């Protein structure tokens, strides 16, 4: 049953939802509440007196004392029978519908069990070693108190037998005549109360004449004659062992209970312990009712027992197959939901201006969607619906109005950037041509320069000046053509390419799209993204850009593409030929000084929670920061060093310093350490044989000194050597 406040009550429902449970198995006669706690309580291997160990094969090994008495105390169990070679950790709970909330709280509070010292016993020299699995059962709380009392009196073995009904067992006749012998192990306490007993199930027993009856409150147990039931061994190996292995292989991969005991099953098969193999197979089954398990328990013939166990494993396999099939079924939409969604899509189609070729495809897909039954063709229904939703969400014919004014563009560029006069002039010329033509289409700008010189921010400023929507995505390391062209709709989880996704996001068909790091495009064995970009960027082709997902031509000719790169060397030539390259060479010292005062310092003060009245950085300190700490073409390193200085200042202010903090030469070294760079001048006057050189790459450069060495002309093996000054 699905959990809901109506079936459980608000308090119980909230408790189960907190624990992450969503379903509950409800038993028809709830006189006793029996929970299989395998899934919720993490069983622990409580070890004491070296009685429970983990063998090298990860199989739990238990040594038990021999039993020779013919009398024992018999306790009823009500959920399912227990089998030999099992550790049953009992949870002492009994519940009725009147106190179900208290019981649930008790169950899930028992995860904090504590181990207490066990009663000291002298292990016999003839102890039996057993390889067992662990399960958890629910038992009446009064029994647990009695188990401890019996153990303290020297009664270390008891008998457990399944009750013939869920009602209280009043006499021994109310129990099945075949039960199991269990050695009482450890008793665990929680908050000073006895809550758990470890019972090691060892043998089948036949229960004889009742000798005495005991009653504790509303529960009963008995003392009776018992006889150990001996197995009738099978002759030779079973013929259907292959069938058994196939069932177990499947259950090891699907059932958590069987998966946990995989090593134990393999051990039983290897040692040819077919009696124990049959017992544990039936014990762990969830699909087998209690009375059928009891029938297996009563079977003394190992051959017949194993045959029954194989049939039970087949039913268990079918149970887990059905469960997996139900879990994989997608949620099917209701017919009413389908009609509402189709009407919504049809209404949105009426409100957009689709080209004729697109409208034809949309009408065909709409007819197909209306004829699909979501309860029968769920997969195809969702593919068709998602495709139509993508089409109606695109900005067909929707454009933002351009503001093509040269003066406004120059004002925006001067406000956002200092220096770069040649770059600003080139962009202003580009806008001037666009204002005369009345359109800003047909160009691909490529801003090339070292890191940190403002390539990305230039693209944002162009969008700000023209009042267009701006969208940026990086293509550095991109190797999948589907990122550009989209996936075919036949694939699961198919999506359009990044350009179509961009248009849906910005809501207009003429945004400015910035392709960052275009010089770092990658290439895979199954496609070349640079070649795929040609169709999207080339003004001669992108008026009918074909995305694989849409499978419809879409006009990208109104989009202004701005690319950024550190170097032109790695950009493919066919792509570079279609670009208008604008170089950004970097900033001089004075330009960096103004950028720091106008842009960097105000922004960093705000980020660090400071005000100009709390800290002062002089021009001289800024020059030292630029020359000795952050020698680069851009201003990123300068920004990092200023940020480090302001963090130190913020630390002092937070500790209570009220006065203005002046950053001078002494405090600068305390804030960010010793200078990293010194003067490039190696000689005051350049001597003969020494010449200066310049090393340069796409991220900056440096001066080098090249000097010659005079060699003797008498040495015939001498040669000219060039050395580089440090």
């Amino acid at each position: 049953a699905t959990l809901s406040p109506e079936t459980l009550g608000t308090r119980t429902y909230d408790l189960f939802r907190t624990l992450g449970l969503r379903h509950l198995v409800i038993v028809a006669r709830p006189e006793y509440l029996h929970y299989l706690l395998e899934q919720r309580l993490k069983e622990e291997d409580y070890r004491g007196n070296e009685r429970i160990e983990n063998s090298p094969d990860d199989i739990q090994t238990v040594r038990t004392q021999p039993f020779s008495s013919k009398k024992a105390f018999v306790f009823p169990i009500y959920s399912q029978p227990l089998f030999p070679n099992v550790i049953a950790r009992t949870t002492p709970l009994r519940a009725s519908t009147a106190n179900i909330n208290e019981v649930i709280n008790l169950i899930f509070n028992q995860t904090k069990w504590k181990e207490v010292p066990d009663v000291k016993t002298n292990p016999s020299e003839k102890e039996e070693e057993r390889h067992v699995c662990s399960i958890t059962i629910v038992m009446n709380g009064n029994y647990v108190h009695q188990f401890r009392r019996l153990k303290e009196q020297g009664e270390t073995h008891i008998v457990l037998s399944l009750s013939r009904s869920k009602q209280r067992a009043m006499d021994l006749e109310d129990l099945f005549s075949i039960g199991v012998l269990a050695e009482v192990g450890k008793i665990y306490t929680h908050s000073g109360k006895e809550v758990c007993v470890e019972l090691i199930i060892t043998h089948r027993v036949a229960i004889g004449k009742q000798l005495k009856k005991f009653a504790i409150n509303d529960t009963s147990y008995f003392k009776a004659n018992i006889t150990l039931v001996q197995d009738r061994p099978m002759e030779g190996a079973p013929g259907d062992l292959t069938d058994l292995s196939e069932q177990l292989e499947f259950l090891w991969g699907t059932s958590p209970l069987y998966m946990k005991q995989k090593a134990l099953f393999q051990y039983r098969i290897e040692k040819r312990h077919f009696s124990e193999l049959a017992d544990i197979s039936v014990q762990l089954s969830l699909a087998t009712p209690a009375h059928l398990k009891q029938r297996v328990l009563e079977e003394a013939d190992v051959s017949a027992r194993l045959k029954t166990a194989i049939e039970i494993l087949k039913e268990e396999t079918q149970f887990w197959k059905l469960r997996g099939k139900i879990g994989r079924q997608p949620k099917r939409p209701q017919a009413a939901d389908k009609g509402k969604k189709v009407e919504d899509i049809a209404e949105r189609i009426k409100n957009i201006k689709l080209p004729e070729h697109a409208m034809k495809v949309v009408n065909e897909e709409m007819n197909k969607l209306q004829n699909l039954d979501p309860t029968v063709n769920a997969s195809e229904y969702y593919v068709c619906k998602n495709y139509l939703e993508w089409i109606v969400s695109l900005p067909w014919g929707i454009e933002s109005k351009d503001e093509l004014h040269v003066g406004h563009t120059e004002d925006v560029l001067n406000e956002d950037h200092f220096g770069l006069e040649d770059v600003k002039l080139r962009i202003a010329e580009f806008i001037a041509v666009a204002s005369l033509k009345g359109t800003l289409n047909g160009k691909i700008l490529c801003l090339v320069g070292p890191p940190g010189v403002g390539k990305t921010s230039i693209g944002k400023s162009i969008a700000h000046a023209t009042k267009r929507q701006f969208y940026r995505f990086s293509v550095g390391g991109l190797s999948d053509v589907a990122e550009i062209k989209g996936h075919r709709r036949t694939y699961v989880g198919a999506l359009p390419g990044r350009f179509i996704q961009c248009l849906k996001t910005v809501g207009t068909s003429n945004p400015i799209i910035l392709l960052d790091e275009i010089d770092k495009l990658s290439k895979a064995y199954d496609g070349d993204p640079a070649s795929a970009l040609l169709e999207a960027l080339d003004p001669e082709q992108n008026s009918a850009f074909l995305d694989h997902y849409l499978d419809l031509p879409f006009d990208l000719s109104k989009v202004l593409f701005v690319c950024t790169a550190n170097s032109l060397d790695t950009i493919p030539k066919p792509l570079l030929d279609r670009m208008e390259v604008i170089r950004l060479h970097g900033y001089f010292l004075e330009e960096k000084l103004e950028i720091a005062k106008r842009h960097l310092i105000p922004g960093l003060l705000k980020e660090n929670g400071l005000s100009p009245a709390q800290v002062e950085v002089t021009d001289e300190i800024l020059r030292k920061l630029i020359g000795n700490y952050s020698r680069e073409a851009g201003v990123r390193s300068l920004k990092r060093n200023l940020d480090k200085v302001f963090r130190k200042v913020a630390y002092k202010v937070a500790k209570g310093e009220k006065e203005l903090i002046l950053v001078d030469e002494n405090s600068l070294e305390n804030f960010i350490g010793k200078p990293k760079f010194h003067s490039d001048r190696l000689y005051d006057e350049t001597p003969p044989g020494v010449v200066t050189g310049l090393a340069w790459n796409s991220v900056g450069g440096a001066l080098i000194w090249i000097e010659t060495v005079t060699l003797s002309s008498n040495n015939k093996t001498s040669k000219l050597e060039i050395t580089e000054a440090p």
Side-chain angles (χ1 to χ4, degrees), residues 49-324:
N49 300 327
E50 298 183 353
R51 293 183 62 255
I52 301 179
E53 303 172 348
N54 280 334
S55 70
D57 294 330
D58 197 26
I59 301 173
Q60 197 168 192
T61 305
V62 176
R63 289 185 289 275
T64 60
Q65 298 184 19
F67 178 77
S68 58
S69 176
K70 296 183 178 180
K71 300 176 183 179
F73 290 93
V74 181
F75 291 84
I77 53 179
Y78 294 90
S79 56
Q80 59 174 327
L82 295 173
F83 288 78
N85 302 297
V86 162
I87 291 181
R89 295 190 173 97
T90 65
T91 304
L93 293 168
R94 184 181 178 191
S96 63
T97 54
N99 61 353
I100 184 172
N101 290 327
E102 289 74 14
V103 169
I104 292 171
N105 278 293
L106 284 174
I107 287 177
F108 293 107
N109 284 334
Q110 288 169 6
T111 56
K112 299 180 180 179
W113 290 339
K114 297 180 180 178
E115 183 176 351
V116 297
D118 196 3
V119 178
K120 299 297 183 182
T121 59
N122 295 321
S124 169
E125 295 181 357
K126 297 182 179 180
E127 286 181 336
E128 297 182 55
E129 187 175 88
R130 296 178 178 274
H131 302 282
V132 300
C133 73
S134 300
I135 65 170
T136 303
I137 63 173
V138 176
M139 200 170 234
N140 192 291
N142 296 317
Y143 291 160
V144 180
H145 297 281
Q146 191 64 14
F147 292 163
R148 173 175 283 247
R149 189 176 69 84
L150 292 174
K151 186 174 181 181
E152 291 174 350
Q153 294 174 358
E155 295 282 351
T156 58
H157 290 79
I158 62 171
V159 173
L160 300 173
S161 180
L162 182 67
S163 174
R164 296 180 183 274
S165 69
K166 298 296 183 180
Q167 303 292 341
R168 172 189 172 188
M170 303 300 297
D171 295 298
L172 193 61
E173 287 75 13
D174 295 334
L175 307 180
F176 285 99
S177 60
I178 300 296
V180 289
L181 182 69
E183 180 182 337
V184 179
K186 290 181 174 55
I187 300 177
Y188 309 98
T189 62
H190 172 62
S191 302
K193 297 180 181 179
E194 298 167 347
V195 296
C196 183
V197 174
E198 182 183 88
L199 301 175
I200 305 171
I201 316 299
T202 58
H203 297 89
R204 286 174 168 79
V205 293
I207 303 171
K209 181 181 178 181
Q210 176 177 321
L211 301 177
K212 194 172 182 179
K213 175 182 176 181
F214 301 88
I216 306 175
N217 298 331
D218 58 344
T219 61
S220 301
Y221 67 100
F222 316 93
K223 190 166 188 178
N225 294 327
I226 62 168
T227 305
L228 296 182
V229 177
Q230 301 297 329
D231 289 339
R232 292 198 297 273
M234 61 189 305
E235 298 179 359
D240 45 6
L241 190 58
T242 303
D243 196 8
L244 172 68
S245 300
E246 291 177 356
Q247 307 303 324
L248 289 176
E249 284 288 347
F250 176 81
L251 292 172
W252 289 337
T254 55
S255 170
L257 295 178
Y258 286 84
M259 187 188 309
K260 185 178 180 182
Q261 305 299 335
K262 180 178 180 179
L264 184 58
F265 277 107
Q266 292 174 335
Y267 178 84
R268 301 287 190 223
I269 296 174
E270 180 184 352
K271 299 297 183 181
R272 307 181 75 82
H273 294 168
F274 298 118
S275 173
E276 299 168 0
L277 182 63
D279 288 344
I280 190 168
S281 300
V282 177
Q283 179 74 82
L284 297 179
S285 175
L286 297 179
T288 307
H291 69 277
L292 291 181
K293 289 187 177 183
Q294 178 65 30
R295 189 181 304 171
V296 176
L297 181 66
E298 294 175 355
E299 181 60 64
D301 188 287
V302 176
S303 178
R305 191 191 309 163
L306 184 61
K307 185 176 180 180
T308 306
I310 293 174
E311 295 300 321
I312 287 176
L313 285 177
K314 290 180 179 179
E315 294 181 2
E316 188 76 6
T317 300
Q318 294 301 320
F319 168 81
W320 284 100
K321 285 182 179 179
L322 181 60
R323 179 170 178 172

Side-chain angles (χ1 to χ4, degrees), residues 389-404:
E389 287 180 345
W390 267 104
I391 288 181
V392 299
S393 63
L394 292 177
W396 299 92
I398 300 176
E399 301 178 17
S400 59
K401 186 177 179 181
D402 292 335
E403 188 163 332
L404 304 176

